[in-house]
Amino acid sequence: DKDVMKRLLIQAGLPVLPYVTLRRAAFQSARAAALHEAAKLRFPVFVKPANLGSSVGVSRVLEPQALGVAVDQAFEFDGKVVIEQGLKHPREIECAVLGGAAPVVSVPGEIVVNHPDGFYSYAAKSLDESGATTRIPAELSPSETALAQELSRRSFEVLECEGMARVDLFLSE
């Protein structure tokens, strides 16, 4: 659940981009107010079903006028939707984390998107053979590498993960 995850990460003092959570019943009874509140985020924003992966139902929204359609689409997949503030030109960094009580973090990789969507969309991941590539290791400074690994480890621990997880991070300009 992306909403619950974000609340736990914020409570632990980890960096999380601003976001708004919508629930279907409340949204249906106060659509205009909910969209107005979400439009306070800096655009682009990403509208996501709270409980799906692989970018299913995710939309990148560039302007407030397109927000309602994206929210309606996300509600087709889940009764809870998260709208996240985006970044202008982020680098998407990811680390694998293995273990339990003493997790081990991989070197960071970087997702390089070549798809017209402009983000790591379902189409870029699953439909377009050249939609995205992974650069391993990511071209990061030693301090950026250490920070990515530390944030990944802390996220894994805060969320009480075990086994294996992939932690996605954004590196902004």
Side-chain angles (χ1 to χ4, degrees), residues 70-148:
V71 170
D72 291 338
Q73 178 186 346
F75 274 130
E76 290 178 18
F77 296 94
D78 195 355
K80 183 162 51 166
V81 169
V82 171
I83 304 171
E84 300 175 333
Q85 181 172 292
L87 298 168
K88 292 279 188 214
H89 302 286
R91 293 173 63 191
E92 188 163 344
I93 307 299
E94 60 183 19
C95 291
V97 186
L98 301 171
V104 176
V105 183
S106 71
V107 298
E110 181 172 2
I111 303 298
V112 180
V113 177
N114 305 309
H115 193 270
D117 286 349
F119 74 102
Y120 200 32
S121 64
Y122 178 79
K125 289 178 183 182
S126 305
L127 303 177
D128 182 349
E129 184 175 296
S130 59
T133 57
T134 306
R135 183 180 299 135
I136 303 174
E139 294 175 8
L140 300 172
S141 70
S143 64
E144 290 169 333
T145 296
L147 179 59

Side-chain angles (χ1 to χ4, degrees), residues 31-89:
R31 179 184 178 93
L35 291 174
H36 178 73
E37 186 64 28
K40 292 179 183 177
L41 297 171
R42 189 172 60 235
F43 283 74
V45 297
F46 290 86
V47 179
K48 305 176 176 188
N51 292 290
L52 285 178
S54 298
S55 298
V56 173
V58 175
S59 299
R60 180 174 181 236
V61 180
L62 302 175
E63 57 191 15
Q65 298 81 0
L67 198 51
V69 171
V71 170
D72 291 338
Q73 178 186 346
F75 274 130
E76 290 178 18
F77 296 94
D78 195 355
K80 183 162 51 166
V81 169
V82 171
I83 304 171
E84 300 175 333
Q85 181 172 292
L87 298 168
K88 292 279 188 214
H89 302 286

